[in-house]
Amino acid sequence: MTGPLGYVETQRVVLFTEDDPLVLRGGGRLDHVEVAYETYGELSPARDNAVFVCHALTGDAHAAGLHLGAKKRGWWDNLIGPGKPVDTDRFFVVSANLLGGCSGTTGPLSTNPATGAAYGLDFPMLHMSDLVAVHRRLLASLGVARLHAAVGGSLGGMQVLQWVIDAPDEIDRAVVVAASSRLTPENIAFSSVAREAIMSDPDFHEGRYAEKGVQPRLGQKVARMMAHITYVSAASLETKFGRRRTGSGDDWTMGPDFEVEHYLQHQGETFLDRFDALSYLYLTRLLDYFDPFADPWTADRIRSTATRFQLTSFDSDWRFDTGQSARMARELAACGVAVDHVELPSPWGHDSFLLEPPGYHDRLRAFLVG
Amino acid sequence: MTGPLGYVETQRVVLFTEDDPLVLRGGGRLDHVEVAYETYGELSPARDNAVFVCHALTGDAHAAGLHLGAKKRGWWDNLIGPGKPVDTDRFFVVSANLLGGCSGTTGPLSTNPATGAAYGLDFPMLHMSDLVAVHRRLLASLGVARLHAAVGGSLGGMQVLQWVIDAPDEIDRAVVVAASSRLTPENIAFSSVAREAIMSDPDFHEGRYAEKGVQPRLGQKVARMMAHITYVSAASLETKFGRRRTGSGDDWTMGPDFEVEHYLQHQGETFLDRFDALSYLYLTRLLDYFDPFADPWTADRIRSTATRFQLTSFDSDWRFDTGQSARMARELAACGVAVDHVELPSPWGHDSFLLEPPGYHDRLRAFLVG
């Protein structure tokens, strides 16, 4: 059958403690790491049907199904469920909030055991490998040693790539959508402006805003509004909003009037409730620095992997354009790794990975059972 | 000879007074309007060699030559001078700061005669026609009734288009570079975020910041950093900066590290000294609303014009892409207006109109003497 998942719940588990800390790739350690995660479907007796779903920058563990009492389904509910491409009748699906995030997994707003207060900017800089280490530990705690597949879009896809590099024997199929192995200077530039908006907000207080009971709302809103433009395409904004206005004729105003402006205002405002500014800083920054093929060890590590990669990019995605997926495909192929990259037509820009452009879900479905 | 202009000076002239106010297109009036302008070359005895240069959003009257004691030449000095395409041996060139600007022409920081304080947000909303009206009055004051050409890039090009609509018998050649007759929702979205950054800055004080001796620096800086990304191309950032950093290895930081970040910081900082936030609001907003062909009178007005249009767009310009120039060309042609539109290859994005991509200056030169 094809249908939606029923009710699901977010779980939390402590994975690293003072006696067994998370040693970070860039130096330093975290003495207490817990992670929020959800699972859908059943682990097979042979424990060989696990699929790990990696979320994007501002995602969370709630990828599919409904929380009790909620109206909005998980962010990848169109992909995950009974009979869907990530088929919960067949697969045991795990989705977990990232290290550094703000939706249940340890991050910069978590309490620093050394001070009893929130870490703020004392939280260590994270590498993609640190995010992978936490999710590998989660899998182990669930009794899974090997993944049928890891699936991720955008940052999630980059995490999948790093996972294969760090553990070349652990994943059979790596699904990487709308991602990159190395951000462009334009990518970095947009994120840098977003961070500037947040960090220059007077309510940022050098990262100690939580103690003061405030939030860098103005900067965080601007950051999200700007970033949102880069997640969609000019054509999709044209189709969706055109130049329609609330006002009419010569009734001009400096505040929002065009529908596209009201839409961005809404995107910016709702982001304030669902995401944290420090997590935004840490996760965008690790993306900027992410460049695994610049590491001379990477090629050696993955040369012997049996992981097969499926890369998908979208023709209207100008934030993580096809050129970036193509480069990743070349880098993988140069290491002898099996990789299939296809660019799909889609009008919706980078956000296409969350939607259903023609051919996309079929392509994922075929790869997951192939 | 081909060479640079020598020393030039900015002049100022009062063009509208309480007895002869500027009546605005959107209603309201300005009782005192003065304009800052420069001229290069000599007006011919027949007064038939005048070329008006229209600047872009954050430009000013100082288009060419050197101010006494200055090191930096005018912003379009590569185009304007003896033997250059806008040849000051041949043409009498006039360049003036826009109404609503902040470089000598009346704008929102000017004193409101009714209150004795700066207008702030009490400054009236401006239409493109109001900018044209001021520059037409300036020309009249210089004894020029007819232009050999009007030349403008970006907002300047849009002003040239409006000028022909408002005065179809006044301009022989209209040079419109990297412009648009109707901004896209994506264009509006970027400007809307820039305004949000400025207006939400606590130092904006609802536009009364000058009285308080402050400036919405944080918001204005973010606005400019973001806008600057849209003025260049991803490829040009790649060529210019790649992923080069100040730091190295795992020496990661949340502040600027990649060269592209230092560059944007510099762009944002220097903008604070040379431009005003309110002017930014007023001029971006009139661009959003600019849509002359939506006015049913436009076609009637320009149907009989003898003005010939030359439109140029650049293939890497994604802020005012070729599609926007192509639409303008179609709209003009549909009114029977002579128009020649060419897309030129150039790596530098929207800023190409200020630079010298191959073929660009030759194309302008030929049109101006043809």
Side-chain angles (χ1 to χ4, degrees):
Chain A
M1 67 165 226
T2 298
L5 271 176
Y7 290 115
V8 298
E9 245 181 292
T10 304
Q11 327 256 348
R12 288 180 77 168
V13 59
V14 176
L15 294 173
F16 297 90
T17 60
E18 197 173 346
D19 295 336
D20 174 24
L22 174 63
V23 177
L24 297 164
R25 165 75 189 276
R29 58 185 231 186
L30 288 169
D31 282 347
H32 180 89
V33 175
E34 50 189 296
V35 67
Y37 69 100
E38 299 190 359
T39 68
Y40 322 118
E42 300 294 328
L43 185 59
S44 62
R47 299 171 180 274
D48 62 356
N49 69 332
V51 173
F52 203 102
V53 170
C54 297
H55 70 69
L57 180 61
T58 67
D60 56 31
H62 183 38
L66 262 180
H67 285 173
L68 196 64
K71 285 184 182 154
K72 206 177 160 192
R73 307 188 68 88
W75 55 270
W76 225 349
D77 193 78
N78 60 16
L79 190 75
I80 303 164
K84 295 184 182 177
V86 180
D87 187 350
T88 51
D89 289 337
R90 179 164 189 159
F91 301 121
F92 173 63
V93 181
V94 184
S95 170
N97 188 214
L98 288 174
L99 180 67
C102 52
S103 305
T105 294
T106 298
L109 276 194
S110 302
T111 300
N112 181 350
T115 65
Y119 281 99
L121 287 174
D122 292 334
F123 199 71
M125 296 295 279
L126 299 176
H127 289 236
M128 195 69 82
S129 287
D130 302 322
L131 279 52
V132 169
V134 171
H135 287 175
R136 292 182 67 205
R137 177 69 66 101
L138 170 65
L139 261 193
S141 80
L142 295 172
V144 177
R146 188 171 181 83
L147 286 169
H148 178 79
V151 179
S154 197
L155 186 159
M158 304 185 221
Q159 194 194 339
V160 169
L161 171 61
Q162 187 70 54
W163 197 326
V164 177
I165 294 167
D166 292 349
D169 299 326
E170 207 161 287
I171 301 177
D172 289 330
R173 294 162 193 79
V175 177
V176 175
V177 187
S180 178
S181 58
R182 191 179 79 188
L183 265 57
T184 65
E186 187 188 74
N187 292 153
I188 295 170
F190 277 117
S191 289
S192 191
V193 176
R195 286 189 299 270
E196 174 76 21
I198 289 170
M199 294 172 75
S200 72
D201 185 319
D203 277 340
F204 183 65
H205 294 293
E206 299 187 326
R208 302 241 149 267
Y209 51 87
E211 293 166 32
K212 304 195 181 263
V214 296
Q215 190 187 0
R217 295 178 63 86
L218 308 175
Q220 190 177 334
K221 180 180 171 187
V222 165
R224 179 60 176 189
M225 290 172 72
M226 179 191 66
H228 193 86
I229 303 173
T230 73
Y231 298 150
V232 297
S233 68
S236 67
L237 291 174
E238 185 70 53
T239 305
K240 200 165 177 179
F241 304 110
R243 290 177 52 90
R244 284 193 305 276
R245 294 167 54 196
T246 307
S248 62
D250 277 357
D251 177 22
W252 289 11
T253 171
M254 210 58 93
D257 181 9
F258 292 90
E259 285 186 13
V260 68
E261 298 184 277
H262 291 296
Y263 168 74
L264 283 182
Q265 288 285 328
H266 175 77
Q267 294 295 332
E269 291 285 347
T270 55
F271 188 60
L272 299 176
D273 295 328
R274 73 174 183 82
F275 211 74
D276 167 60
L278 281 163
S279 286
Y280 198 81
L281 299 183
Y282 277 88
L283 296 177
T284 58
R285 201 48 165 163
L286 82 85
L287 285 179
D288 292 348
Y289 284 111
F290 183 62
D291 189 7
F293 291 100
D295 181 338
W297 297 96
T298 294
D300 283 344
R301 295 187 67 88
I302 62 170
R303 205 175 298 283
S304 58
T305 190
T307 306
R308 291 182 290 130
F309 277 81
Q310 182 194 67
L311 272 50
T312 305
S313 56
F314 302 100
D315 61 356
S316 61
D317 182 354
W318 60 278
R319 183 76 194 249
F320 293 109
D321 63 279
T322 283
Q324 301 194 52
S325 285
R327 190 195 321 105
M328 194 191 316
R330 284 196 305 274
E331 287 162 326
L332 287 166
C335 298
V337 177
V339 54
D340 164 39
H341 169 221
V342 164
E343 178 191 72
L344 293 177
S346 168
W348 299 300
H350 185 57
D351 272 354
S352 298
F353 80 92
L354 295 167
L355 304 169
E356 293 185 61
Y360 171 43
H361 278 193
D362 289 345
R363 173 171 164 77
L364 262 62
R365 180 193 296 273
F367 186 66
L368 290 179
V369 299
Chain B
M1 71 169 223
T2 296
L5 271 175
Y7 291 114
V8 297
E9 246 183 289
T10 305
Q11 327 255 347
R12 288 180 76 168
V13 60
V14 176
L15 295 174
F16 297 90
T17 61
E18 198 174 344
D19 294 337
D20 175 24
L22 175 63
V23 177
L24 297 165
R25 165 74 189 276
R29 58 187 233 185
L30 288 169
D31 282 347
H32 179 90
V33 175
E34 50 189 295
V35 68
Y37 70 100
E38 299 190 358
T39 68
Y40 322 118
E42 301 294 329
L43 185 59
S44 62
R47 300 172 179 272
D48 62 357
N49 70 332
V51 173
F52 204 102
V53 170
C54 297
H55 69 70
L57 180 62
T58 67
D60 56 31
H62 184 37
L66 263 179
H67 285 172
L68 195 64
K71 284 182 182 154
K72 204 175 162 196
R73 308 188 68 86
W75 55 270
W76 225 348
D77 194 78
N78 60 17
L79 189 76
I80 303 164
K84 295 183 182 177
V86 180
D87 187 350
T88 51
D89 290 337
R90 179 164 189 159
F91 301 121
F92 173 64
V93 181
V94 183
S95 169
N97 188 213
L98 287 175
L99 180 68
C102 52
S103 305
T105 294
T106 298
L109 276 194
S110 301
T111 301
N112 181 350
T115 65
Y119 281 99
L121 287 175
D122 292 334
F123 199 71
M125 296 295 280
L126 300 176
H127 289 236
M128 195 68 83
S129 287
D130 302 323
L131 279 52
V132 169
V134 170
H135 288 174
R136 291 182 67 203
R137 176 70 65 103
L138 170 65
L139 262 193
S141 81
L142 295 170
V144 177
R146 187 172 183 83
L147 287 169
H148 177 79
V151 179
S154 197
L155 186 159
M158 304 185 222
Q159 195 195 340
V160 169
L161 170 61
Q162 187 69 55
W163 197 325
V164 176
I165 294 167
D166 292 349
D169 299 326
E170 206 160 286
I171 301 175
D172 290 329
R173 294 163 193 77
V175 177
V176 175
V177 188
S180 178
S181 58
R182 191 179 79 189
L183 266 58
T184 65
E186 187 187 72
N187 292 152
I188 295 170
F190 277 117
S191 290
S192 191
V193 176
R195 286 189 299 268
E196 175 76 21
I198 289 169
M199 294 173 75
S200 72
D201 186 319
D203 277 340
F204 183 65
H205 295 293
E206 298 188 326
R208 302 241 149 265
Y209 51 86
E211 293 166 31
K212 303 192 183 267
V214 295
Q215 189 187 1
R217 296 177 63 85
L218 308 175
Q220 190 178 335
K221 181 180 172 187
V222 165
R224 180 59 177 188
M225 290 172 73
M226 179 192 66
H228 192 86
I229 303 174
T230 73
Y231 298 151
V232 297
S233 69
S236 68
L237 290 174
E238 185 71 53
T239 305
K240 200 165 179 179
F241 305 110
R243 290 177 52 91
R244 285 193 304 276
R245 293 167 52 196
T246 308
S248 61
D250 277 356
D251 176 23
W252 290 11
T253 171
M254 210 58 91
D257 181 9
F258 292 90
E259 284 187 13
V260 67
E261 298 185 277
H262 292 295
Y263 169 73
L264 283 183
Q265 288 286 328
H266 175 76
Q267 294 295 331
E269 291 285 347
T270 54
F271 187 61
L272 299 176
D273 295 328
R274 74 175 182 82
F275 211 74
D276 167 61
L278 281 163
S279 286
Y280 197 82
L281 299 184
Y282 277 87
L283 295 177
T284 58
R285 201 48 166 163
L286 82 85
L287 286 179
D288 292 349
Y289 284 112
F290 183 62
D291 190 7
F293 290 100
D295 181 338
W297 297 96
T298 294
D300 283 342
R301 296 186 68 88
I302 63 170
R303 206 175 297 283
S304 59
T305 190
T307 306
R308 291 182 290 131
F309 276 82
Q310 183 193 67
L311 272 51
T312 304
S313 56
F314 303 100
D315 62 355
S316 61
D317 181 356
W318 59 279
R319 183 76 196 247
F320 292 107
D321 63 280
T322 283
Q324 301 194 51
S325 286
R327 189 195 321 106
M328 196 192 316
R330 284 196 305 275
E331 286 163 326
L332 287 166
C335 298
V337 177
V339 54
D340 164 41
H341 169 220
V342 164
E343 178 191 72
L344 293 177
S346 167
W348 300 300
H350 185 58
D351 273 354
S352 298
F353 80 92
L354 295 167
L355 304 168
E356 293 185 60
Y360 170 45
H361 277 194
D362 289 344
R363 172 171 164 77
L364 261 60
R365 181 193 295 274
F367 187 66
L368 289 178
V369 299

